Structure formats: structure tokens, C-alpha cells
Amino acid sequence: MTDNVFTAFVRNAQPQPNPDNIIQGDRWRICLLTDALARFEWSDTGHFEDHVTQTVLNRDFGHRVERTVTERDGRVIIDTENLHIDYDGKPFSKEGLCVVVKHISSTQFNTWHYGDQSRGNLKGTARTLDEADGDKKFGQPLDMGDGVISRDGWAVLDDSKSNVIVLADSVNGKPNPFGSWVSPRDKGCIDLYFFGYAHRYIEAVQDFYKLTGPQPLLPRFAFGNWWSRYYQYTQPEYLALMDRFKREGIPFTTSVIDMDWHLVDSVDPKYGSGWTGYTWNHELFPDHVKFLDELHRKGLKTTLNVHPRDGIRAFENAYPKAAKRMGVDPASGENLEFDLTNPDYMDAYFGMHHDLEAEGVDFWWLDWQQGGVTRQPGLDPLWILNHMHYLDSGRDGRWPLTFSRYAGPGSHRYPVGFSGDTVITWDSLAFQPQFTATASNIGYGWWSHDIGGHMFGYRDDELEARWYQLGAFSPINRLHSSNSPFSGKEPWNYTGDVRASMTASLRLRHALLPYLYSMNYRAAFEGRPIVEPMYWQSPDTWAAYDYPDEFRFGTELVVAPIVSAADRKVARGRADLWLPQGEWFDFFDGRRYEARGDAGRAVTVWRALDRMPVFAKAGAIVPMQRLGEGDDVNSIANPTAMDVLLFPGASGEFTMREDDGVYAHASAGRTADTALRWQWCDGDTGDAGDRSGAVEASATGDTAVFTVDPVRGDSSDAAPKSRDWTITVRGVARPRISGNRLESLEGLENGVQASVGSVDVTLHPADISYDEATMSLTVTVRDVPTDQSLRIAFTDGLEIADNPVERDCYGILLHAQIQFFAKEKALNAIREEGVRAIGSFAALNKKPRFDGDFLDVDLPESVVSALEEVLLRS
């Protein structure tokens, strides 16, 4: 049989362990995959499992693990660089098997005895957030499962109950058109993987990917905005909605059509519920092929919701063909029962889906909610649906993609995740950042949440705006809501600042596509999910564990979403966060924050509704794209107009990665790579936290340089022939020219030099600007051939801007909903004493004499905290 996607999955795995790494007896086997990752097997029969399992694909990491093996008093003692294993050779027991993890001194629980539960496990993720309000479900804490990392230094992955995946020409006497099948494994076996990586969290997760398979690449459109609603749209109504989004300048790339695309209410009761269905409802969609074609013309990919539990019933258009495939007389009307263990049914099932795909469906939303039982013991229907649908979606060279729930360790191979129907509350919003970040501890990187919330709850405009802001910095940004007439998430259902904020978040998300897509490659090839908990890079800094709402977003950014209602008196929302040691800049307005000590710095920050706390590291480079207009607003093409954000204080590099949209090329690493380089003040000034060197260098007139290298790579022709580049250096002072600070834009071009290849480019005044509000210097160079380099040099140097303390404090006090007299007293203290005014704020809350009467002065804690943030940023 010629390999198909199902057989290739098995053949491309490496389940056989390296014999050099095995220590074994008659009924036990220990395999060292690395010096920190060990497999422990016990078999009542003496047969050990070397097939692919539902979770594990690869057991040979390509090298012999150095160790010493000693037998003493009937015990086997194995020492590696990172583990000390002590085993009595008998059935596994707490007394007979233990592992000591080396190189960790911060815990007294670094020894594991068989059966121990890790109290320090940093947790993983859950199957669904259905019916959960925040971190609780029916009042009980949500079970997040274990991750492969722990503050105790060890974690255990139990693979004992996994089925195996084998090559099989037949199943239960029936020919198997898939060529491979999921089969039960031997009973009486224990199969554990011990991760003993101490606090090397990143290494542990990367080796988890080696063991279970990498995160696959997602197609570019998946990183745009997804529109989803459980609602009975009609064909004209839905298309008109997509047109209005375009007119409003709001980009979407993915249309998620919920279950009402198929017959639901008009199913004869003799067939049961209309929850399962595969026949288009032509009352709502009179020409569904034209409908799907129109969505494609508008730049949208489409996924349809399916609940496959009830099989293929006689009222379905697909029934006659499917019945014949299964040897059932179509005239009988016999239900084709949903049976994931029957290859005949699965072949008919996928044939039906292929016919629907031929009409224009791009991928499927597998909305399985009906429990975990199949006719094969231990086989979870959600897992097998994810596995087979994902592989099938990649047949014939297609870019594989499915949309479904989490089904246990290894599920990261089948993106994108659907976290379930979210309740619309602040508690739900507050839990989603933590839920997303800890999922990376079990390798699950591509979660998609119901941004804005799905059902129940209440109307809260501020909540919606804050949720959209989180969506812009989520792995996948999918809006979703119920069929309530009051729950539509269109921004024009809101007013004023809320509508503006929601629209800005959706536009920002689309603009971030170059950054997001580059992180897609990092996730697939380097084992680094786009969202990482803060403790991954600071495992021995205890403050990094204390702010679960905060996370790293790719290589350049730290995000701390606001997940509670604003304080009315200060008219801003609050986030408590931690910044690692170094210099950080507000992504939106360039304000500088310093964390000088080794332990970093805890900060309380306050933001109005227009943005949330996002920080760029010193030297960060964030490539973005210029949004299209009109018919191009939804474009996911490799952009011809780039907007790049640069941040001062250190030098940096970033490789923007693109491809030609062909999955075989992309998955083989055939990319178009554009290296971006930011040389701060003519050389790296060293530690980003040492600002003095950077300022001194810039003050002496050294040159800061931004460079775009020619596009490189096996798919370099995928890049456009030329690009416009707009470079914004955020957080810098108005430039000096010949040692003098410019008071206007006149002459600004004299301090900037640009060249393409070896040819100088003449810059005009309109090409350069400075924005006082965001302390940003912007330069545009147009029509740069992508096979040539671009160099932009700031010849008189740049300086990190001083934070505009008085101006920002005035802004806080201006909008604060407090007494005017309190505002005046606070502003006067700031003007007279600067940062020392902090010591005066408490004293202002007195009763001074005023015209013979006493007047209360009330400076609330929230206003004081917001002022302190500004005064103490740097």
C-alpha cells in the first residue's frame, strides 16, 4: 500500500528506543531517553511496548545517555548527570523505586517515590471550560491536570492506558482503507515517563515535544481574527455582516459557522435530535456553494461546526452514498451508527466530509461534548476524532487544521484548541490568561477562547473591551457569543471609548501577523509556545510565580492583561505584575520601566480603556504590517508595507519568517527569511538594565542603525518584489541635530541617513516624523527591493526619552473622579517635590481651613497608586 497520511504518521515516528539506553530485567525495563528523562516499564507478561501510542511517538533521541549502572544488594542503581535511580527489580512500589533529581536546592521534595504526587507541579490544562465560571465548575476547582514541570524538579507522565497505533491492513476482519489503526495495548503493564529536569523548564517542555511530536505549523490565516456566533444567520445576512466589517475597517480571516448551517429544527423526531447533522439548511442558505465562494472572495476561510455523535441518518443528503459504502440498503433507512472502531463507518464518514469540503468547507469544528466512551476500552472518542480528522485534513498536500477540544497529553499535535463555551463574567476573563499560560506546561500552545464570552453572565461594556484586548495577545483570537439577541459582539453594538477600543484591538491583532507568524515557526521548530509563563525564563525567582495573569508573548513582549473592573475614582483598570531584571518599555506609549535588581520588580500599573499593559524588552523588534483598505482589509498575503516597532536601550535581532503557503514547503522549513537588526548606539551596550552606558553612548553622537537584510531562504521568491518600510523607534527623545535638540520637525531629515544596497536614498520631510505623545521617531522608506538591504542610520544618535512625569500625572488627575481641591494639592506636591511627593500624599488627607470652614481632602488609594506608578517607573 502506498503511504497515506495515516500510515505516514506511524512510519515517520521513532518509537523504538535506542538499545544502548536500556537497562532491563525479565519483567521490568528502564530506558534513558536523556540524562533527565527516564521511562519505567513493568509488564506482567514480560512484553514491552515499542509501538507508537496515543501520546508517545519517539523514544530514540539520537544519542547514548552517559550513566553508571551498579547492582548492589539486589537493587539496581543508575546514575546520570541529572538523576539518581534506585530500584529493587520487583513490581513497582513506593519502597522499591525512587528517583532523586540532582541540581536543585530550592526544595526538600526533589526525591520521587513510585506513586508520589508532585505538590509543586505547575499544572497543565483542562479538556474544556464549558460551564466553568472562572477557575470553578459547579463551585469546585477546575482540574487542570499535571504538566511536565514542577517546582519540586520532577513530573511523571503516565502512558499506561494509552492505546497503540499500528500499521494494519485489516481491522476485525474488515479491510482497513486507512492503513493504520488504534488498537488496545497489553493489560498488566505500567508505562511511566519521569521528567527530572529540576528547574530547566524550557528544556523539559522541548524534550516533551521530542517524545510526543512537535506543535505543527498553523496556516497564516489562523492568526487573524475569527468571527463566530451561535446564531441562525441567513446567507444574505451573514454576507452583509462580513461586508460591514470591511467598511468599518475591521479585518477578519476566518468565518466559524455554528451548528445552524445544517438542519436542526426540521428533523423528523423519529430520527432524534437535530444536534448531529450534515445537510445544509437551504431555508437559511439557499445556495451554500455560492455562499462559501463569496466568503472566499472576501478573504475568509470557513469552518463548520459538527456534533458527530448520532451517526449518519436517513434524512441526510449524504446517506445513500454512505449506506452503500457500509453495505446497507439505502431504502432500509437504517441508521449508520457512529462507530469510531469500524473502518467501514470511518471511511464513509470521511467520504461525506470530503464531499462537503469539495463545495468549499476549509476545515472542521469538532464540537464533541458527549462523554468519553467508544466500543474499544480506553479509547476516548474526542482523541480519536482529533487524531483522524487532523491527519485526514492534511491529505493530498493540504495544510492540516482542525478545531476541537483538548484530549490529554499529546493533543498539541491537533490544533486549534476550542476551550468551550465561556460564561460572560469578570471571573471568566480573569482565569483565561492563567489557563492559557499553564497549558504550555503540557505543550498545548494554540488555545482559542470565546473572546468576549459566550453565554449567561451580564452586559458589561468594559469587560468586553478588556476581553478584546486579551484576544489581541492570545494564541488565537476568536470572538464568540450565543444566540441571545443581546449578545452580539460587533463593536458597533457598543458606544464611544468601548467601541473604539474593541475596533483598535481587532486591527492591532491583524497588524501583528508578521510577528505572530514568525512565532508560529519558533513554536514548531524550536519547541517554544507563543505564550509562556513568566517562570519559564526565571525559574529561581520566586516573584515570577506570583503573577499567573502575566505571560511572555513570543520573544519580544510581556503581557499583563487587565482582568478586573476599573476603579471609578482613578478611571483606570489595574494590573499587578512582575518585570524581570532590565529595561522595559510600554508597547503603546514608550514609557520606560526599570527593574534593577536580580529579582526583578513587582509593579502595579493602571491603564485607561484604550490599552492594556504590554511591555517590550530593551532592544525589541516587533514586525507588523500596514493594514489594507477596502477589499484588501482581510488580506493575509505576505505584506508589501511593513510597520516595525523598535525599542531603545539595547541592540536586537529578529528574523521575520514567511512562506509560499504550501504546507510541504513550510513544514520542511523552506521559508523566506528577512533578518532585522537594531544596533543601539553603534553597538550593544551590554546588559539591558544598565542604562547609563546606553545614554552615555547616545549622548556622544554615536550612530544607531536599523538594518533589513535581503530576503533569504529556499522560498525567498514567496516575498513580494519590494516593500515599503516604516520604522518607529518608540521611547526616544526628540532627536538632536549637530548637538542641538530640535524644537520642530524642520531639519529632522538631516539626522537620518538611508541607503538601499549601496545607493543612498533621499529622505524628505514627509518621510520622518516625531510623536510627542508616544515619544516615537518614525522613518519611512518606500519601494525597497526585497533582494537588497535597507539601512537606516540615526547619525547624531538617539537618547532614551525621560519619562514625562508631570504630564502623565496631570493626565491621571485630570480624569480622576475626585475632588478638584485634592487634584490641585497632589499636582502641586508633584511639581514641587517630584518623586518625594509620594511621602506627602498621605498627609494631604487632612482637613485644612478654608474660608472659616473645614474642607475634607480625599486622595484615594487608587489615585495615589496610579501616581506612584508614574513617579517610580524609572
Side-chain angles (χ1 to χ4, degrees), residues 54-56 146 157-158 208 212 383 406-413 442:
Q54 290 176 247
T55 303
V56 174
D146 281 350
L157 176 66
D158 188 346
F208 172 75
T212 60
W383 182 88
Y406 176 78
S411 292
H412 63 269
R413 298 192 301 259
I442 195 66

Side-chain angles (χ1 to χ4, degrees), residues 85-106:
I85 301 170
D86 191 324
Y87 174 48
D88 65 1
K90 300 175 182 178
F92 294 159
S93 67
K94 188 177 291 291
E95 299 79 14
L97 175 60
C98 73
V99 183
V100 179
V101 177
K102 304 176 184 180
H103 308 303
I104 181 170
S105 59
S106 57

Side-chain angles (χ1 to χ4, degrees), residues 105-126:
S105 59
S106 57
T107 176
Q108 59 179 310
F109 303 109
N110 60 314
T111 297
W112 169 77
H113 294 86
Y114 175 75
D116 283 353
Q117 299 299 310
S118 173
R119 293 184 292 178
N121 194 282
L122 290 161
K123 310 312 288 182
T125 195

Side-chain angles (χ1 to χ4, degrees), residues 594-671:
E594 277 190 299
R596 297 182 180 179
D598 293 343
R601 177 184 173 193
V603 188
T604 295
V605 301
W606 299 82
R607 296 292 183 268
L609 198 60
D610 60 334
R611 63 183 184 272
M612 72 176 185
V614 179
F615 297 92
K617 66 182 183 182
I621 302 172
V622 184
M624 302 166 67
Q625 66 185 28
R626 183 70 52 83
L627 295 185
E629 299 178 354
D631 288 341
D632 293 330
V633 70
N634 295 337
S635 175
I636 58 166
N638 295 332
T640 58
M642 295 293 304
D643 288 328
V644 180
L645 281 183
L646 307 176
F647 293 86
S651 298
E653 296 183 358
F654 189 97
T655 298
M656 184 175 72
R657 199 147 271 160
E658 301 169 300
D659 55 50
D660 60 6
V662 177
Y663 180 68
H665 297 168
S667 59
R670 292 177 54 184
T671 56

Side-chain angles (χ1 to χ4, degrees), residues 288-347:
H288 66 274
V289 175
K290 183 178 180 181
F291 170 68
L292 295 172
D293 183 60
E294 281 291 306
L295 290 175
H296 289 150
R297 282 200 321 104
K298 297 177 190 299
L300 294 153
K301 300 293 185 179
T302 304
T303 180
L304 303 185
N305 174 283
V306 287
H307 299 89
R309 180 197 63 184
D310 291 331
I312 307 171
R313 294 168 289 179
F315 67 85
E316 303 281 10
N317 290 342
Y319 178 78
K321 180 179 177 180
K324 290 178 182 177
R325 168 62 186 87
M326 293 191 67
V328 173
D329 181 2
S332 70
E334 177 186 339
N335 182 38
L336 309 180
E337 292 187 34
F338 181 71
D339 183 1
L340 292 160
T341 66
N342 181 348
D344 287 346
Y345 177 80
M346 294 307 294
D347 192 40

Side-chain angles (χ1 to χ4, degrees), residues 129-138 423-429 431 458:
L129 293 178
D130 280 347
E131 301 173 315
D133 186 7
D135 63 352
K136 291 182 172 56
K137 194 168 187 176
F138 304 122
V423 177
I424 307 172
T425 63
W426 281 103
D427 285 342
S428 288
L429 171 60
F431 184 55
Y458 40 76

